[in-house]
Amino acid sequence: MQCERCHQNIATGEQHEHLGQILCEDCYMEVLSPVITCDPWAVHSAKTFEREHRGRVELTETQQQILAVLKASGAIRPGDLAARLHLRPSDLERELATLRHMEKTRGELRNGQRYVILW
Ligand SMILES: [Zn+2]
């Protein structure tokens, strides 16, 4: 089964249905999150994302830092990652959403805890 939003494979039983679409955990959280839809920066980064996808992809400094931490430590919980980089959790989630769509990072559940890992 595939997520209809990001086309990631979804394990059976982990899919979510939203407005008739089958979504993965991450996309489901995203579409349900009012923070992202109400945040002007989300619109900004979505536009940035569109532009980058037509041309070359450029990572922001924060995104590079996230990737550097992941390369050094492997899996890390979003809360720990936010603390390490002195980011607000909502800011981190936005960066992670962008990185996920660039296929740089993805989320993984381990023992019921959400971890961020390299794609
Ligand atoms: Zn998805």
Side-chain angles (χ1 to χ4, degrees):
M1 178 169 334
Q2 251 195 2
C3 171
E4 292 180 26
R5 203 154 174 264
C6 70
H7 304 290
Q8 228 189 136
N9 284 321
I10 315 171
T12 309
E14 286 181 11
Q15 75 274 17
H16 296 271
E17 220 185 306
H18 181 72
L19 303 176
Q21 278 193 312
I22 303 293
L23 299 177
C24 69
E25 176 83 24
D26 288 337
C27 289
Y28 185 66
M29 301 295 269
E30 245 175 77
V31 295
L32 289 189
S33 170
V35 176
I36 289 179
T37 49
C38 298
D39 189 334
W41 276 99
V43 175
H44 169 80
S45 58
K47 277 184 188 152
T48 306
F49 174 72
E50 266 177 42
R51 192 178 64 229
E52 285 168 349
H53 255 235
R54 283 199 292 271
R56 70 205 163 94
V57 175
E58 242 176 63
L59 298 175
T60 66
E61 201 178 317
T62 306
Q63 288 161 358
Q64 288 174 14
Q65 286 172 347
I66 291 170
L67 293 178
V69 170
L70 285 173
K71 267 176 200 150
S73 61
I76 188 165
R77 284 185 301 187
D80 297 337
L81 187 55
R84 178 97 61 108
L85 297 176
H86 308 290
L87 291 172
R88 287 185 307 164
S90 57
D91 290 337
L92 176 70
E93 290 301 328
R94 189 160 48 238
E95 300 291 2
L96 289 178
T98 308
L99 286 169
R100 187 167 56 244
H101 283 277
M102 292 176 183
E103 303 195 349
K104 298 281 186 194
T105 68
R106 60 197 173 90
E108 190 174 84
L109 280 180
R110 294 186 183 179
N111 302 322
Q113 296 259 34
R114 201 177 138 223
Y115 282 83
V116 183
I117 58 173
L118 289 173
W119 190 271

